[in-house]
Amino acid sequence: FSMQSRQGYDLMILHFDLTNPGPEAAECDIVTNAPLFRALINHDLRINSQTTILLNDLSVYRETLEAEETQDTVIVFEIEESVTEQINQIELLLVGDDGNLTYQLQ
């Protein structure tokens, strides 16, 4: 499977290590909570995540992680080429029924 951005855009792929630090297997079900993932670029540009069919897409992740297991997950965004070279800061916004959460990424 491959993805291509529209003309004039790039794909920004954020990788996240999803880890079960516990001593037993644990279910990770992002789908049930159905948060919206957005990126905030340089404090002012908000972009929505792209829908994918990737098996490790964090926004639709629903798997059991064994004890001490880590899985690589991704969130894909489409961003204008002119913005790509000017990124100084990225924040991940999670919008859900319980409110909004913001994580500054490094």
Side-chain angles (χ1 to χ4, degrees):
F1 173 72
S2 67
M3 289 183 70
Q4 291 186 350
S5 60
R6 295 178 288 162
Q7 186 173 354
Y9 287 79
D10 288 325
L11 292 178
M12 178 176 73
I13 302 170
L14 303 180
H15 286 262
F16 297 90
D17 286 335
L18 193 59
T19 301
N20 174 9
E24 298 179 11
E27 183 179 346
C28 179
D29 182 1
I30 304 295
V31 174
T32 298
N33 293 324
L36 297 174
F37 291 91
R38 294 189 174 120
L40 182 61
I41 308 296
N42 299 336
H43 298 292
D44 65 351
L45 176 62
R46 288 179 188 245
I47 55 175
N48 294 322
S49 64
Q50 298 293 301
T51 302
T52 76
I53 61 170
L54 297 171
L55 298 176
N56 65 336
D57 185 333
L58 181 60
S59 64
V60 293
Y61 196 84
R62 182 185 244 167
E63 296 291 333
T64 298
L65 294 172
E66 297 301 323
E68 307 294 327
E69 181 182 11
T70 297
Q71 289 289 320
D72 176 51
T73 61
V74 296
I75 303 175
V76 179
F77 298 90
E78 193 174 58
I79 185 168
E80 290 184 50
E81 287 177 347
S82 61
V83 174
T84 303
E85 297 175 9
Q86 301 173 14
I87 296 175
N88 296 315
Q89 182 176 7
I90 301 172
E91 294 171 84
L92 181 66
L93 308 173
L94 277 70
V95 180
D97 293 339
D98 295 338
N100 301 339
L101 298 172
T102 302
Y103 298 95
Q104 185 167 335
L105 305 180
Q106 304 219 6

